[in-house]
Amino acid sequence: MRTLNPVDGQHDLLVANLFAQSKALAFGQQSEQPQRVFPGNRPSSTILADRLTPAVLGSLVALYEHSVFTQATVWEINPFDQFGVELGKVLAKQILPELR
């Protein structure tokens, strides 16, 4: 909640947009124009911390990894597929010269 880089109220704008997105997902919007209708009732989570420290960031990463593991267990898939990671590295080595 406290910015590490105070710049002319930018942090307040970012936090306002964070809560606006949560509100939009929760409550949606009704409109006469179909393209402006948002159904709402969409689950989301907002996690706040006083400051972004290494410990807080590590906790967020651990929470995300636990969430991935739990979902994978329910779906009966392997989210830590080392062979897939290795394939990605081999393919990246092939693509890298093309990028350069």
Side-chain angles (χ1 to χ4, degrees):
M1 290 305 302
R2 288 188 288 147
T3 183
L4 300 176
N5 300 302
V7 178
D8 298 329
Q10 291 297 307
H11 182 70
D12 290 342
L13 289 171
L14 290 171
V15 172
N17 275 281
L18 165 73
F19 289 127
Q21 291 299 315
S22 295
K23 187 175 181 178
L25 287 166
F27 301 108
Q29 172 179 286
Q30 299 301 316
S31 176
E32 297 295 322
Q33 302 171 356
Q35 71 273 16
R36 294 189 178 263
V37 172
F38 303 102
N41 198 27
R42 305 280 191 221
S44 69
S45 298
T46 301
I47 300 173
L48 300 175
D50 186 49
R51 294 182 65 97
L52 183 58
T53 64
V56 169
L57 183 58
S59 296
L60 291 172
V61 170
L63 177 65
Y64 174 77
E65 286 188 353
H66 179 71
S67 172
V68 168
F69 171 77
T70 302
Q71 290 173 358
T73 300
V74 170
W75 296 332
E76 298 180 354
I77 60 173
N78 179 5
F80 307 107
D81 177 10
Q82 188 58 39
F83 297 112
V85 172
E86 290 174 12
L87 174 60
K89 290 178 181 180
V90 169
L91 296 174
K93 286 180 183 177
Q94 294 171 0
I95 293 170
L96 186 59
E98 297 174 25
L99 294 175
R100 290 183 176 155

